[in-house]
Amino acid sequence: SRARRSRVRRLWASPMRSGFVRRACAYAAVATTVTTVTTAAQAGVLTATYVTAPEANGPRFGLECRSTTGATGADADAGRRRVVFVAGDSTVCGVGCATSDRCDGPTLPRRLARALGEALDVDVEWRALGYTGADVRALRAKLLPALREAMRGGEDAVDGGMASSSSSSS
């Protein structure tokens, strides 16, 4: 047992072993330094050159008619209409959708309303409330009051009210 411990100590203390460990630590330190410098440089370039994609063109509210009566607009049966408010960040605003040739407003709320209308066989009125870069704090501070206003019937909170507040807060 004592001889075995002595042999283990000699192996760990051998010049080859300690040289290997030193070289490995030196290579790891160099690799870490190079990675850190590269990451910092990329972050600096991205911060200086990043441009946010534009929001979707078109209205931030609409009506998807899916009832079997085929009535649209004011003629649609009010009992067969549901209202959906979609609140959130750039996904709700349709960021990046404006680059498409056939963009008629934010895609997510429109498609959600269409799917709900088909599944429930009702007309779905949708309203998109959101702004680019929203986090939880911004959702509470800006979107909840806008949602309350929209539920009272204020069109400014739905059509562009949040878009103008997002550009002034950035």
Side-chain angles (χ1 to χ4, degrees):
S1 157
R2 185 179 181 128
R4 183 176 174 195
R5 279 185 276 175
S6 174
R7 196 171 96 211
V8 169
R9 283 188 194 132
R10 273 185 282 140
L11 284 173
W12 278 103
S14 71
M16 183 184 88
R17 186 68 169 178
S18 63
F20 172 76
V21 172
R22 283 188 195 132
R23 281 193 311 266
C25 289
Y27 290 142
V30 168
T32 301
T33 303
V34 167
T35 302
T36 302
V37 169
T38 303
T39 303
Q42 288 175 343
V45 168
L46 182 63
T47 302
T49 60
Y50 180 75
V51 177
T52 304
E55 291 187 8
N57 298 324
R60 295 180 79 154
F61 58 93
L63 177 65
E64 292 292 327
C65 296
R66 291 293 171 210
S67 68
T68 55
T69 62
T72 60
D75 298 333
D77 184 11
R80 304 286 300 159
R81 180 183 290 182
R82 302 293 183 257
V83 179
V84 175
F85 291 95
V86 184
D89 60 358
S90 56
T91 308
V92 173
C93 297
V95 168
C97 178
T99 59
S100 169
D101 289 338
R102 41 170 258 169
C103 183
D104 52 348
T107 304
L108 176 69
R110 250 187 318 111
R111 297 231 175 159
L112 176 65
R114 185 175 302 145
L116 285 171
E118 289 173 357
L120 301 174
D121 191 33
V122 295
D123 296 338
V124 178
E125 181 181 344
W126 60 271
R127 296 170 184 234
L129 298 166
Y131 74 96
T132 305
D135 57 7
V136 175
R137 182 175 292 147
L139 290 173
R140 290 187 72 187
K142 293 182 180 180
L143 287 182
L144 287 180
L147 180 61
R148 287 186 195 103
E149 177 65 26
M151 290 176 71
R152 285 188 218 117
E155 291 296 323
D156 186 48
V158 178
D159 188 31
M162 292 309 299
S164 61
S165 68
S166 67
S167 60
S168 63
S169 66
S170 296

